Amino acid sequence: MRVELRSAGLALLALLAGPAPAGAGPGPAPSARAGHPGREWMDEGYRRKAAGDPGAAALAFQRARAAGFDRQRVDLELGYLALQRDDQVGARALFRSAALGGEPGLASQARAELRQGWLREAALRRSRRDFEGARIAIHAARHAGLDPQRAELELAYLAIARQEQDDAREHLSRAEAGPDPAVSSRAREELGVLPGRAWGELYSEVYAWNRTSGASRTADAVPTVRIRAGRRLRLDLDLSAYLYAQGTRDLASRGAATGAPLLKADNFALLGAGVLVRLWERRLALFLQAGPALNLLDDGRGRTALDARGGAALGLETSRCWPGAAEVASRVLVPCGELYAEVVYLSRFGHDVVGLARGRASATWLVTGPWLWQLAAELRAATDRNRDFYDNFVDAGIGPRLRLRRPFRLDVFPTFSAGSYLGVAGRDPAPRPLGYAELRLQVATSLEF
């Protein structure tokens, strides 16, 4: 009579679950505990699981447990079903129960699932910047048997997310030295990506113009080259000491009379040392440097002078400023926004403080190999403490921009620009009229190594 009732229950369960999908084969049937009263429910659970009906499978496994079937195996199967419906908390509770069972193979399997579940939780917490939650999840994974080498790798990922570069290097070094070659290889790759102690930078630009109307109708070009080599004193803070060499040359040799800021048309070579701090994922830089300045022209000024500078520079850009070909193909125009601002103290120019802000808006309309073809506009404004007219202006420009993405970054940006001096007069009188219009060419490139 009991067998008939059980068979009737199985038939009712199958009727409620509906037909299995076409082509779906039966799941693996357990061979252990043949003849046990819960065996038929376990078989039914595997069939429903293979047929893609997790609700009916869970009901069958629960019936098997109620009939007294091996709780360890049932908890393991229910844990897998909980994972399918993304019930991480429920899955962990079931796997934890299965890990305490008497069958070593099933207990090992449950602990492996617990470890993977805690690692998924750590990654999720890390992505949400819940760093304490991620740390707790990693330690829970270690308690579930995560090997020390893999744990060091996970702690390194957490340190990287927290921008604790020194701690990340320590954890990665320990992970690299472990016995698992796959984990060692991953740790080695991450060490290669992390910033090292030594760094170098090359920056070069040409700023050329032909003033067509307004004050100081001139044509000139000012190339600048700067090389810096530094060593990070602290990785967490990105604090560096560096040496630098910089040269600026006004090709028309007209100095301040060109109407260009003295900062650009200075005709001096600078040498020296400084300290640099990069913050906010390297968007904000604070620096202080000093050294001799060497006159490149025989223009009556002194041959050498002390040049001390310090200040802050901010650089921001949106995520689509360097799009790929596929991204452009899917849109008519790919927009980009950029902001650069700096405030610099200059000892050699009457202890002046110069502030400059420049915003650019552009859109990529074509990608040809490594080249990006864009339309761009810019707005600039500057002011200074000493009230020099050429450092107090507002202007705007528009034109095409060509950007090279690889093997290094290069910007070529010709514009038609118009603006006005603000009428501020310090050592030199402001020109009349204050407004001006000019054709410009700005070319800039930088390399970091």
Side-chain angles (χ1 to χ4, degrees):
M1 183 65 177
R2 185 178 302 169
V3 174
E4 291 176 358
L5 289 175
R6 188 184 310 122
S7 300
L10 287 170
L12 178 60
L13 178 62
L15 181 62
L16 293 174
S31 59
R33 305 192 64 172
H36 188 278
R39 167 70 184 281
E40 293 182 24
W41 287 113
M42 289 298 294
D43 289 343
E44 181 67 13
Y46 283 117
R47 283 193 292 270
R48 290 304 177 186
K49 181 179 177 181
D53 191 347
L59 181 58
F61 289 140
Q62 289 166 1
R63 293 284 180 84
R65 180 167 57 187
F69 197 81
D70 184 357
R71 184 182 184 90
Q72 184 181 20
R73 182 178 291 278
V74 171
D75 284 345
L76 192 62
E77 295 298 339
L78 288 173
Y80 288 132
L81 291 175
L83 285 181
Q84 288 185 21
R85 61 178 183 270
D86 200 27
D87 180 8
Q88 301 293 334
V89 175
R92 281 199 294 269
L94 289 162
F95 289 138
R96 191 180 298 114
S97 175
L100 299 176
E103 172 60 42
L106 296 180
S108 176
Q109 192 174 347
R111 284 194 297 270
E113 293 298 335
L114 272 175
R115 291 193 294 271
Q116 292 303 314
W118 282 119
L119 291 180
R120 286 191 294 269
E121 181 73 13
L124 178 63
R125 297 284 184 177
R126 192 170 64 236
S127 68
R128 294 176 177 175
R129 305 190 70 79
D130 179 6
F131 299 134
E132 181 60 22
R135 185 189 66 80
I136 291 172
I138 293 170
H139 285 292
R142 295 183 72 170
H143 182 72
L146 184 67
D147 68 272
Q149 185 182 8
R150 177 66 186 276
E152 291 293 343
L153 186 63
E154 293 297 327
L155 290 170
Y157 290 146
L158 178 58
I160 291 171
R162 300 181 68 163
Q163 298 184 8
E164 297 174 347
Q165 306 294 346
D166 288 310
D167 285 348
R169 282 192 166 275
E170 290 182 10
H171 289 301
L172 287 173
S173 297
R174 288 195 283 267
E176 185 185 20
D180 188 332
V183 177
S184 296
S185 177
R186 289 175 61 184
R188 194 158 43 248
E189 291 175 1
E190 292 293 339
L191 280 169
V193 172
L194 283 179
R197 293 285 183 181
W199 59 270
E201 174 190 81
L202 170 64
Y203 176 80
S204 178
E205 73 169 23
V206 175
Y207 184 88
W209 69 93
N210 182 5
R211 183 158 293 178
T212 57
S213 67
S216 303
R217 293 193 184 184
T218 58
D220 204 349
V222 182
T224 298
V225 177
R226 183 185 70 206
I227 300 174
R228 295 194 296 186
R231 180 173 177 81
R232 292 180 176 87
L233 306 178
R234 286 190 57 186
L235 293 176
D236 293 348
L237 187 60
D238 203 350
L239 171 65
S240 300
Y242 65 91
L243 302 175
Y244 66 90
Q246 176 176 323
T248 303
R249 180 71 165 87
D250 165 26
L251 297 185
S253 301
R254 297 174 182 174
T258 62
L262 283 173
L263 187 61
K264 283 190 173 293
D266 186 31
N267 298 309
F268 270 73
L270 310 180
L271 303 171
V275 177
L276 172 68
V277 179
R278 292 187 175 102
L279 304 172
W280 194 16
E281 297 181 354
R282 306 188 69 178
R283 298 183 182 96
L284 176 64
L286 309 177
F287 75 97
L288 181 64
Q289 66 182 46
L294 312 176
N295 195 341
L296 300 176
L297 299 177
D298 186 11
D299 57 4
R301 293 183 292 179
R303 301 301 297 178
T304 62
L306 175 65
D307 184 280
R309 303 184 180 196
L314 174 69
L316 302 173
E317 67 177 21
T318 58
S319 60
R320 296 177 180 172
C321 287
W322 299 89
E327 189 172 5
V328 175
S330 64
R331 297 177 177 87
V332 177
L333 294 173
V334 179
C336 165
E338 304 163 62
L339 174 65
Y340 176 80
E342 66 178 19
V343 177
V344 182
Y345 161 76
L346 303 163
S347 69
R348 197 160 45 88
F349 300 98
H351 300 284
D352 202 2
V353 177
V354 181
L356 170 70
R358 181 190 69 212
R360 287 177 176 172
S362 63
T364 301
W365 58 274
L366 179 65
V367 175
T368 54
W371 292 98
L372 304 176
W373 300 80
Q374 300 180 337
L375 300 174
E378 73 171 7
L379 176 66
R380 304 189 311 161
T383 187
D384 79 324
R385 186 176 69 90
N386 288 352
R387 300 173 61 83
D388 293 319
F389 77 86
Y390 40 78
D391 281 329
N392 291 267
F393 63 86
V394 175
D395 63 28
I398 189 169
R401 180 167 70 173
L402 187 60
R403 307 192 95 174
L404 179 66
R405 296 179 295 171
R406 57 179 187 274
F408 56 89
R409 290 189 174 184
L410 172 70
D411 272 10
V412 181
F413 187 23
T415 63
F416 172 75
S417 300
S420 175
Y421 296 113
L422 302 182
V424 172
R427 293 171 298 180
D428 301 313
R432 290 290 183 269
L434 293 174
Y436 57 85
E438 61 191 28
L439 299 175
R440 290 180 186 161
L441 175 63
Q442 302 171 69
V443 181
T445 183
S446 63
L447 293 172
E448 294 187 4
F449 44 90

